[in-house]
Amino acid sequence: MILTDTHTHLYLEHFDNDRHEVVQNAIDKGIHYMLIPNIDSKSVDGMLSLCDEFPENCFPMMGLHPTDVKTNCQKELKIVEQWLEKRKFVAIGEIGIDLYWDKTFVKEQNISFRHQIALAKKHKLPIIIHSRESMKEIFDILDDVHTSDLKGVLHCFSGTEKDAHKAIEMGYYLGIGGVVTFKNSNLKNILREIDLKHILLETDAPFLTPTPFRGKRNESAYIYYIAEKIAEIKGISIDEVAEITTQNAKNLFKF
Ligand code: NI
């Protein structure tokens, strides 16, 4: 069984004491691929050294995270551009709009999101979309810039069933993580209506830890519990979930 964690921040300080063990443990448990979204210019070095240490397993993305879009975003976007010229990345991410934490830079968030979508088109890369309290704003922009070759994933999908169908119709995948294991989550009902070929698995480690470890640090090995839950919802085997979702990830990210 080969599972893929399509969204994991393993370079963060939460893993400073045991990063190598955490990654090796995930690989040993069958999570063979880990895709690593960037946050800002300060996270690049840690991300790349991890990917260099595990070149068969860990693949980097490049982008400026919406909660780190501040007054200096033009400078940050320049750095993203420079990195994209310098080496290979599997996606532009994570990018998007976050109106939950702070609305001060909403204008800059919009500009940065559009700018990085343009970079994705230029470099022919998929986009990792972070959306929090901003589904409408995200869809307004995606509608506006839509082209058939622009692909990506709605990371940590938290929209309605209607949003899910709209995203899929436009060519996007839904990123499903620990939230699906939470008792009160509506995601189960949405997943019943969606073909697995539109789903990617992700942990968003160290955040959003699935049951039975909710409240503790999340790690890529816990993809197993997300896959297990989806298998239960869909009434299929976990091997089938692993096979389909890893193939989806390969189709989108071409690693
Ligand atoms: Ni993330």
Side-chain angles (χ1 to χ4, degrees):
M1 179 171 64
I2 295 177
L3 285 155
T4 303
D5 185 355
T6 61
H7 194 118
T8 177
H9 300 278
L10 292 162
Y11 50 80
L12 287 179
E13 60 187 5
H14 307 67
F15 300 104
D16 279 356
N17 293 324
D18 58 355
R19 183 169 294 106
H20 187 94
E21 291 81 354
V22 164
V23 176
Q24 193 56 54
N25 177 47
I27 294 168
D28 294 344
K29 296 214 159 108
I31 294 83
H32 196 74
Y33 302 114
M34 285 156 267
L35 312 188
I36 324 274
N38 191 44
I39 291 178
D40 65 11
S41 59
K42 294 189 293 299
S43 53
V44 177
D45 286 347
M47 174 178 72
L48 292 181
S49 58
L50 177 67
C51 293
D52 289 341
E53 194 183 346
F54 294 94
E56 305 291 313
N57 311 97
C58 296
F59 303 102
M61 308 177 185
M62 180 45 63
L64 176 62
H65 192 292
T67 61
D68 286 83
V69 169
K70 305 272 158 69
T71 41
N72 66 346
C73 69
Q74 287 305 333
K75 197 173 147 224
E76 283 285 328
L77 290 171
K78 255 274 149 318
I79 295 172
V80 168
E81 277 173 35
Q82 287 164 351
W83 272 112
L84 286 168
E85 300 293 341
K86 258 191 270 188
R87 65 165 285 165
K88 190 178 180 299
F89 294 93
V90 293
I92 304 287
E94 58 186 283
I95 63 176
I97 297 174
D98 191 314
L99 303 179
Y100 175 80
W101 292 106
D102 188 357
K103 294 193 181 71
T104 316
F105 296 104
V106 59
K107 193 174 130 243
E108 287 82 356
Q109 286 196 37
N110 273 275
I111 291 168
S112 298
F113 186 38
R114 284 177 177 272
H115 185 90
Q116 293 183 95
I117 291 172
L119 289 176
K121 289 184 177 182
K122 179 182 171 196
H123 291 273
K124 300 193 178 357
L125 290 171
I127 54 177
I128 310 301
I129 304 164
H130 170 112
S131 154
R132 198 144 181 218
E133 317 252 302
S134 61
M135 203 48 103
K136 188 193 172 299
E137 289 79 358
I138 293 281
F139 273 129
D140 283 349
I141 292 178
L142 291 181
D143 280 333
D144 189 36
V145 302
H146 184 66
T147 46
S148 59
D149 58 338
L150 181 66
K151 305 267 186 264
V153 52
L154 291 186
H155 150 58
C156 192
F157 178 75
S158 58
T160 61
E161 191 182 324
K162 200 169 151 233
D163 295 331
H165 287 298
K166 178 172 166 61
I168 289 167
E169 241 166 70
M170 292 178 79
Y172 293 95
Y173 289 84
L174 309 182
I176 304 296
V179 175
V180 75
T181 67
F182 299 171
K183 259 205 174 69
N184 55 2
S185 164
N186 182 43
L187 264 182
K188 306 178 204 40
N189 303 321
I190 295 177
L191 278 174
R192 281 193 196 100
E193 307 301 321
I194 303 277
D195 194 299
L196 266 194
K197 69 172 187 253
H198 304 296
I199 301 297
L200 296 175
L201 306 188
E202 55 174 44
T203 57
D204 203 18
F207 315 109
L208 289 173
T209 313
T211 308
F213 301 107
R214 200 173 173 181
K216 304 214 176 71
R217 180 186 73 173
N218 199 3
E219 46 184 272
S220 287
Y222 298 166
I223 269 293
Y224 183 86
Y225 299 95
I226 295 161
E228 190 181 45
K229 187 71 198 180
I230 293 175
E232 181 197 314
I233 292 167
K234 301 299 259 183
I236 57 175
S237 70
I238 188 165
D239 292 273
E240 217 176 322
V241 173
E243 196 188 323
I244 296 169
T245 54
T246 287
Q247 191 54 52
N248 295 344
K250 286 187 171 176
N251 292 347
L252 182 62
F253 298 107
K254 317 226 178 310
F255 55 86

